[in-house]
Amino acid sequence: MIGVEITGLTVTGPAGTMVQPFDAEIPLGTTLALIGESGSGKTLSAKSLIGLLPRGFKAEGAATVADTPLPVGRDDASWRGVRGRQVALLLQDPFTSLSPVHRCGDQIAWTMEAARGHRMLRRERREAVAARLAEVKLPEHVAEAHPHQLSGGMRQRVAIAAALAADPQLLIADEPTTALDASNQAEILDLLRAIQAERRLSVMLISHDLGLVRGRTDTVLVMQSGVIVERGETSRVLSDPQHPYTRALIDADPVVAARRGSGEAAAVDLDGRPTLTSAQGIVKTFGHRTVLHEVDLSVREGEIVGVVGESGSGKTTLARCIAGLEKEDGGTIDFAGETLAPGRASRTPDQMQIVFQDPYSSLNPMMSIRAILAEALAVAGRGADEVPAMLELVGLPAEIASRRPAELSGGQRQRIAIARALAPRPRLLICDESVSALDVSVQAQILELLSGLREQLGIALLFISHDLAVVRMIADTVVVMRDGRVVEQGDCAQVLTEPAHDYTRLLVAASTRENAPAGAGKD
Amino acid sequence: MLAARVLGTLAVLLVLSIVIFAMMYMAPGDLVKNLLGNRASNPDTIAAIRAQYHLDEPVVTQYLLWLKGLLTGDLGESIRLQVPVTEAIGARVGITAAMCAIAFAMSVVVAVPLGVISAVRAGGWTDRIGNALSVLGLSAPTFAVGLLLLYVFAYYLPILPVYGGGDGGLDTLRHLILPGITLALGLGAILVKLTRTAMLRELEADYVTFARARGLSERTVRNLALRGAAIPVVTGASLVLTFLVGGTVLAETTFSLPGLGTLLEDSVLFKDIAVVQALTLLVAVVIAVIALLADLAYLLLDPRLRDRIGVDS
């Protein structure tokens, strides 16, 4: 018996056909990966299989789960009894996919109660919830916790338990680990793999991350602009891609590059360069919580320093202290030989600038690109006539100046954000997760732009990221942070090949998306 | 936290009492003339009155005398009504409190469900009617709405009384319907908008999509979203309630209700400082208490906040 069979599935939206008709099969107990960049139609395809397309979108085609047809393209009422019981959808972000004001146990129990059509008795409910939690390797008392009391990885486990509580046969997982820290990603995927084998589930795994797909999925569909451009066994597609788009994706992927050993920044001779900025013994507390414990860091002229750590490691707070956006509670920050007092007042725009993670929210949507750049140039006493030169510097055509941010792609927006940061001619550029929100191919281009700018302008970069695979593509020196402390730092190539700290070893393994070394990820 | 809060409120009350006292002192008009009215006066009576109410003392001494009285539990005497301030307020507070309660209850009972339905069926006819009504309610001035209601329900269709507070019990309730609606319209308009926005945001949230994806019924999903939307709605409702407490003067004047609003108005015109002081402080205390209750409601509604300030859930 075939598990899931999809025939002629297509999605049309207000702007025309978003997903061209395609067929697929997911036999019981196997995983199909649907790969593509943002806007490729992979999420729309997934949502059409559970009847949750956004307003204005319509699905056609047929799909069967264990020979029972799904009501593809029909109204909400037809999906009643199908969602949860035959098909379940696991969302990307466990921080938002659970209700913040309800207990985890209740959220798991609702799925079961919806399937049964009645409320369960208290004892029966407690036992059922405990069994579901045990399946995702969580202790019973998690049922009493609210989501904010759990880590991201634990929340995603709760979400998996809730999604599977009514025993569906098809699980659609939409980027289930993208929002998680490196040490949790592999664990969650391996857990899914184990549950899948146990239950003989069909899984559709949607991802943009080729490294994650390797070894954890059986077949791959590669989607580009709503068209399946390549399909086949995962190992074959990754080792011998036929379509140029698949090849481009693989080449741009920092993880794949890391495995090949090719994704390292060209060595730049930094010996004897003077120190541009240094932070010594930085301490920062928020209320009772200390987020930085006497952190030291230094950046030489023209050096690219990567700071790696998980969310909550203090890497962003450190960057914000250096930029003056937060005031450190202890320690000193020197810049070009002078000590800077905490806060923005003691800093000038030509010392350092920052590029944030999300180019969608860091640019004012009401202003044209010309106005955005002219404003930044005016701060530095430069005229608006330099706007075309700024655009050229970041590799954008001059015509773009008359547009607004909404008319640009994510990569173009981030280029504008970089140009804006460069307007006062800073000597240090701080990039806080500046490529994390971008697709892999765009990510690679922005990284190339940044290292080009370093050569061209001689600026230094403080590059902050949660992903070691990205950092290794650009940084000369790497600083590994955990729980507000620097656990390891040194020459990038050396730290990567001979990590001294357990935690660094874990991150290195995660950067190639291989299984975590046992025990290294535990607190 | 509570101690800091109480101290802060006390400081605000002190500053407020000084400001109001100074403004009342500087306002034009003469208390003695107001008191004597058309009666003949001679310098002796005037001097006697001035001495009795300490009007000859410097303004600072007058304020300190009032403050001393307050601290010993004596709010002073209403010069206009010739009764203790507590008595003057006590006689009027019931009708104002009842009117506010009716207005608040009506606005919540109508506006919250209307806001929820508007959000669930965004763009539908309920949404459009709700939207039109709330624009109307927000933009129509209280006195104009009051007059319109009087025309329609007391004059053309004489089913409700035109003015006054009634004889107590059900009759008073009947008298408070129109003023209640008048006040409720403005409040309800804000609440509909708030509820709709909060609900729309929750319905877009990932956890609602995930709930649907697990097969939860639409009713359960809606209750989930409403529970999430409760936090901003309670904030809105508490703000609106404080606004209501301050805004009763117009409604009471329009419907000639013997409440605190009209008492305040008359006392200000008469320069009856003791009553004005007591009323302003009363309103300020009520607003502070409402704000405190709203904060306690957050603790009940939001487990994240409970953990942050270390209260056991």
Side-chain angles (χ1 to χ4, degrees):
Chain A
M1 185 175 71
I2 277 176
V4 176
E5 217 176 342
I6 297 164
T7 14
L9 187 68
T10 171
V11 180
T12 43
T17 307
M18 307 300 287
V19 177
Q20 300 291 344
F22 72 96
D23 301 343
E25 274 176 21
I26 318 174
L28 288 178
T30 67
T31 303
L32 170 86
L34 186 55
I35 300 290
E37 297 191 290
S38 55
S40 63
K42 58 191 197 303
T43 295
L44 286 176
S45 313
K47 290 200 162 167
S48 69
L49 288 174
I50 193 161
L52 288 172
L53 282 174
R55 253 178 225 204
F57 288 85
K58 183 131 184 63
E60 276 170 74
T64 57
V65 173
D67 296 329
T68 318
L70 294 179
V72 174
R74 307 251 293 277
D75 61 355
D76 246 16
S78 328
W79 280 97
R80 211 167 288 153
V82 177
R83 291 186 196 139
R85 275 182 269 181
Q86 289 184 45
V87 189
L89 173 68
L90 184 65
L91 300 177
Q92 172 175 346
D93 188 352
F95 296 91
T96 56
S97 65
L98 296 169
S99 162
V101 295
H102 293 95
R103 291 178 199 278
C104 294
D106 291 337
Q107 310 205 32
I108 296 172
W110 294 333
T111 317
M112 293 186 264
E113 287 175 342
R116 292 171 193 212
H118 62 85
R119 292 187 65 104
M120 288 185 281
L121 296 173
R122 179 178 274 217
R123 201 170 131 222
E124 181 193 10
R125 182 179 160 115
R126 199 178 57 232
E127 282 167 6
V129 167
R132 302 296 171 173
L133 285 171
E135 191 180 12
V136 293
K137 312 274 185 293
L138 285 176
E140 195 177 336
H141 65 78
V142 168
E144 293 301 310
H146 286 286
H148 72 273
Q149 295 164 322
L150 306 177
S151 70
M154 287 168 87
R155 288 189 217 196
Q156 195 62 306
R157 284 161 192 259
V158 171
I160 291 172
L164 297 178
D167 304 313
Q169 278 139 332
L170 168 62
L171 176 70
I172 305 169
D174 189 357
E175 305 259 12
T177 60
T178 308
L180 297 177
D181 289 323
S183 57
N184 285 318
Q185 291 190 344
E187 272 177 43
I188 291 290
L189 286 175
D190 295 339
L191 173 74
L192 270 178
R193 197 82 174 135
I195 293 175
Q196 169 183 42
E198 179 89 1
R199 290 185 171 215
R200 309 247 322 131
L201 265 177
S202 299
V203 174
M204 181 186 246
L205 179 71
I206 293 166
S207 183
H208 68 280
D209 192 337
L210 287 162
L212 217 53
V213 159
R214 182 191 299 255
R216 296 194 176 88
T217 62
D218 303 283
T219 45
V220 174
L221 299 184
V222 181
M223 191 173 252
Q224 181 192 18
S225 315
V227 182
I228 302 289
V229 295
E230 182 153 6
R231 61 169 72 216
E233 271 178 49
T234 306
S235 52
R236 199 279 298 156
V237 171
L238 290 188
S239 59
D240 180 24
Q242 301 297 313
H243 194 274
Y245 179 71
T246 317
R247 272 202 294 276
L249 272 184
I250 291 174
D251 285 342
D253 195 284
V255 176
V256 176
R259 283 185 191 197
R260 265 198 240 122
S262 64
E264 267 150 53
V268 174
D269 186 23
L270 291 158
D271 288 341
R273 296 258 185 109
T275 302
L276 177 64
T277 184
S278 73
Q280 287 118 25
I282 301 300
V283 175
K284 174 74 194 169
T285 57
F286 291 114
H288 303 296
R289 214 161 46 90
T290 305
V291 291
L292 293 176
H293 303 266
E294 305 203 1
V295 174
D296 299 334
L297 178 127
S298 76
V299 183
R300 285 171 286 185
E301 303 250 5
E303 183 183 26
I304 300 183
V305 176
V307 181
V308 194
E310 305 192 337
S311 53
S313 63
K315 57 188 193 305
T316 291
T317 310
L318 176 65
R320 293 178 64 90
C321 284
I322 292 172
L325 297 173
E326 297 282 357
K327 292 186 175 177
E328 64 272 18
D329 299 313
T332 51
I333 294 173
D334 291 340
F335 190 90
E338 274 175 57
T339 299
L340 301 176
R344 261 169 34 148
S346 61
R347 285 158 173 79
T348 54
D350 60 348
Q351 289 173 331
M352 59 195 87
Q353 289 292 322
I354 190 160
V355 178
F356 295 100
Q357 171 173 0
D358 186 2
Y360 292 83
S361 60
S362 67
L363 301 176
N364 185 339
M366 303 302 288
M367 285 165 77
S368 70
I369 301 307
R370 182 178 292 107
I372 289 170
L373 293 179
E375 185 183 61
L377 286 165
V379 169
R382 300 167 72 183
D385 52 322
E386 292 188 57
V387 168
M390 294 310 296
L391 287 171
E392 198 194 326
L393 189 63
V394 294
L396 288 174
E399 309 85 86
I400 229 167
S402 56
R403 300 205 200 146
R404 284 177 207 281
E407 299 166 66
L408 305 186
S409 70
Q412 288 175 322
R413 279 183 238 201
Q414 200 59 297
R415 281 170 194 264
I416 298 295
I418 292 169
R420 181 177 61 178
L422 291 175
R425 297 200 176 96
R427 293 167 71 186
L428 173 68
L429 190 63
I430 301 173
C431 299
D432 187 4
E433 299 274 10
S434 303
V435 298
S436 309
L438 304 173
D439 283 324
V440 281
S441 57
V442 182
Q443 202 173 56
Q445 292 161 11
I446 296 289
L447 290 175
E448 209 168 292
L449 170 72
L450 286 172
S451 37
L453 285 170
R454 182 257 295 260
E455 270 165 45
Q456 196 181 339
L457 306 172
I459 56 170
L461 251 72
L462 187 60
F463 188 89
I464 291 149
S465 176
H466 66 283
D467 195 343
L468 195 56
V470 172
V471 168
R472 75 192 299 169
M473 291 180 78
I474 185 167
D476 308 311
T477 313
V478 65
V479 175
V480 182
M481 286 189 70
R482 184 179 206 194
D483 298 335
R485 292 189 170 81
V486 172
V487 297
E488 185 162 358
Q489 60 182 317
D491 181 65
C492 191
Q494 195 187 341
V495 169
L496 290 170
T497 48
E498 298 162 34
H501 195 274
D502 274 351
Y503 181 66
T504 316
R505 271 197 281 278
L506 174 83
L507 284 183
V508 171
S511 76
T512 56
R513 307 292 191 264
E514 267 145 22
N515 288 345
K522 301 287 179 285
D523 287 312
Chain B
M1 184 193 85
L2 198 65
R5 190 87 188 236
V6 171
L7 281 178
T9 310
L10 286 179
V12 169
L13 292 181
L14 184 72
V15 172
L16 196 66
S17 74
I18 294 173
V19 171
I20 301 286
F21 201 95
M23 282 167 64
M24 286 300 292
Y25 181 79
M26 286 185 290
D30 180 8
L31 179 61
V32 181
K33 273 192 197 136
N34 289 341
L35 197 58
L36 288 174
N38 292 331
R39 276 168 287 180
S41 64
N42 60 53
D44 285 346
T45 4
I46 294 177
I49 293 172
R50 294 189 75 88
Q52 191 190 344
Y53 297 113
H54 308 290
L55 296 178
D56 290 327
E57 310 276 354
V59 61
V60 176
T61 317
Q62 286 186 40
Y63 174 76
L64 289 176
L65 277 172
W66 174 83
L67 192 63
K68 192 180 137 207
L70 180 73
L71 294 178
T72 53
D74 177 16
L75 284 171
E77 194 168 308
S78 164
I79 301 172
R80 184 173 67 94
L81 302 169
Q82 295 293 316
V83 292
V85 169
T86 38
E87 210 173 286
I89 292 179
R92 306 277 203 117
V93 74
I95 201 148
T96 302
M99 183 177 70
C100 289
I102 289 173
F104 188 63
M106 279 199 284
S107 60
V108 169
V109 166
V110 176
V112 172
L114 191 60
V116 171
I117 297 170
S118 299
V120 170
R121 294 190 227 295
W125 62 268
T126 326
D127 188 20
R128 268 178 271 168
I129 291 175
N131 195 36
L133 279 180
S134 50
V135 169
L136 191 77
L138 273 177
S139 38
T142 310
F143 69 90
V145 174
L147 288 178
L148 186 74
L149 288 176
L150 273 178
Y151 260 113
V152 176
F153 293 105
Y155 183 71
Y156 289 117
L157 294 171
I159 45 173
L160 288 168
V162 179
Y163 68 91
D167 317 324
L170 275 180
D171 188 46
T172 302
L173 197 63
R174 239 166 57 81
H175 279 80
L176 290 179
I177 292 178
L178 286 185
I181 295 178
T182 311
L183 280 178
L185 201 65
L187 300 179
I190 301 173
L191 273 182
V192 169
K193 290 274 183 195
L194 274 171
T195 312
R196 180 178 184 273
T197 316
M199 205 49 198
L200 270 182
R201 210 188 56 199
E202 295 300 315
L203 286 171
E204 299 263 298
D206 272 359
Y207 73 87
V208 168
T209 309
F210 188 45
R212 289 200 175 116
R214 284 179 285 150
L216 271 58
S217 72
E218 204 49 33
R219 224 183 91 210
T220 319
V221 170
R222 223 167 276 169
N223 286 340
L224 270 183
L226 188 59
R227 177 69 177 70
I231 296 165
V233 170
V234 166
T235 317
S238 68
L239 283 176
V240 155
L241 191 59
T242 57
F243 167 78
L244 169 72
V245 171
T248 50
V249 182
L250 286 173
E252 287 184 12
T253 310
T254 311
F255 292 94
S256 313
L257 285 177
L260 294 182
T262 39
L263 177 64
L264 181 65
E265 188 195 359
D266 295 341
S267 304
V268 169
L269 292 176
F270 202 83
K271 286 197 92 169
D272 197 350
I273 295 189
V275 178
V276 176
Q277 286 282 67
L279 279 175
T280 350
L281 295 192
L282 178 69
V283 169
V285 168
V286 168
I287 289 176
V289 168
I290 292 171
L292 184 67
L293 287 179
D295 284 358
L296 291 178
Y298 295 155
L299 287 186
L300 218 65
L301 291 171
D302 194 342
R304 288 163 293 187
L305 199 63
R306 269 201 303 264
D307 279 3
R308 212 172 305 144
I309 67 161
V311 179
D312 258 341
S313 51

